[in-house]
Amino acid sequence: AQKVTQAQTEISVVEKEDVTLDCVYETRDTTYCLFWYKQPPSGELVFLIRRNSFDEQNEISGRYSWNFQKSTSSFNFTITASQVVDSAVYFCALSEARGYGNKLVFGAGTILRVKS
Amino acid sequence: SAVISQKPSRDICQRGTSLTIQCQVDSQVTMMFWYRQQPGQSLTLIATANQGSEATYESGFVIDKFPISRPNLTFSTLTVSNMSPEDSSIYLCSVDLSREGTQYFGPGTRLLVL
């Protein structure tokens, strides 16, 4: 069965610090996708990134970067120079491919608090 | 990208009653999904709704409790029936716009059952 583990329940940092959110996944599929979503206090779920299993290139988008390593089944997310607006719950998710629509399996989420 | 809206945004309901949540997308999509997020918890898929067919429910969720309609390619409803306080959650719809598996979420409906 698919499983996503986000071992860090809550992280607190001071503004401008770098922070890494860990994500470890389990799957028997040879082809799969991984995602990161952000849920700010307002509650909506914001899509951040998608990574296909065959694409192990790391990605950088502004202050955000992602490190995908199939060898360790990890897909970690780093925020550089954190800001107060980064405070949110961050979810890592794994897609389970099915014929009638992919199911997203979410990790428990990591609460990130950035203090000024 | 598309605009996904949900109604109501929040509601407070009495136990034993039912609430229907609407999800509207401004473009046609094949797959629509309904998730539940219990307080302080992660998201769990309730069901997948395809236009023109019965919704497919995940283990632990049944049609009598969560009936779903999908009358066209831009709209779906989820009903939470015979509610109890345990149904207090955020209910989110999502759509796969690209057919590549990336799901985009509506703003959610915050439900409190007293």
Side-chain angles (χ1 to χ4, degrees), chain A residues 33 35 37 39-47 50 52 89 91 95 98-109, chain B residues 31 33 35 37 40-45 48 50 56 58 90 92 96 98 100-108 110:
Chain A
C33 292
F35 305 83
Y37 287 87
Q39 188 174 43
S42 55
E44 78 271 24
L45 213 61
V46 179
F47 166 73
R50 163 200 170 104
N52 295 324
V89 183
F91 291 98
S95 69
R98 303 176 305 181
Y100 52 93
N102 290 349
K103 168 185 178 179
L104 290 183
V105 176
F106 285 83
Chain B
M31 305 285 188
F33 306 84
Y35 288 82
Q37 186 179 22
Q41 303 296 314
S42 186
L43 285 82
T44 301
L45 180 64
T48 302
N50 289 341
T56 303
E58 298 299 310
I90 300 176
L92 300 104
D96 181 352
S98 63
E100 292 179 346
T102 299
Q103 292 182 25
Y104 295 88
F105 286 79
R110 291 178 183 269

Side-chain angles (χ1 to χ4, degrees), chain A:
Chain A
Q2 316 275 58
K3 184 179 179 182
V4 176
T5 301
Q6 295 180 253
Q8 304 152 308
T9 303
E10 184 169 340
I11 301 175
S12 290
V13 298
V14 177
E15 223 175 2
K16 299 185 182 178
E17 285 186 14
D18 299 346
V19 58
T20 295
L21 310 181
D22 297 333
C23 173
V24 175
Y25 64 92
E26 296 177 27
T27 180
R28 293 182 180 176
D29 293 344
T30 54
T31 302
Y32 52 89
C33 292
L34 293 159
F35 305 83
W36 277 96
Y37 287 87
K38 173 182 180 180
Q39 188 174 43
S42 55
E44 78 271 24
L45 213 61
V46 179
F47 166 73
L48 295 178
I49 190 172
R50 163 200 170 104
R51 177 61 73 226
N52 295 324
S53 55
F54 49 81
D55 180 5
E56 286 195 71
Q57 283 192 349
N58 293 327
E59 180 154 341
I60 298 175
S61 176
R63 296 185 297 107
Y64 295 171
S65 62
W66 291 269
N67 185 322
F68 176 32
Q69 292 195 348
K70 289 181 74 171
S71 60
T72 56
S73 297
S74 64
F75 186 42
N76 296 337
F77 173 29
T78 297
I79 301 175
T80 303
S82 60
Q83 300 176 2
V84 174
V85 293
D86 295 327
S87 297
V89 183
Y90 290 86
F91 291 98
C92 180
L94 170 68
S95 69
E96 179 179 316
R98 303 176 305 181
Y100 52 93
N102 290 349
K103 168 185 178 179
L104 290 183
V105 176
F106 285 83
T110 296
I111 300 171
L112 175 64
R113 302 189 195 279
V114 182
K115 303 175 183 178
S116 59

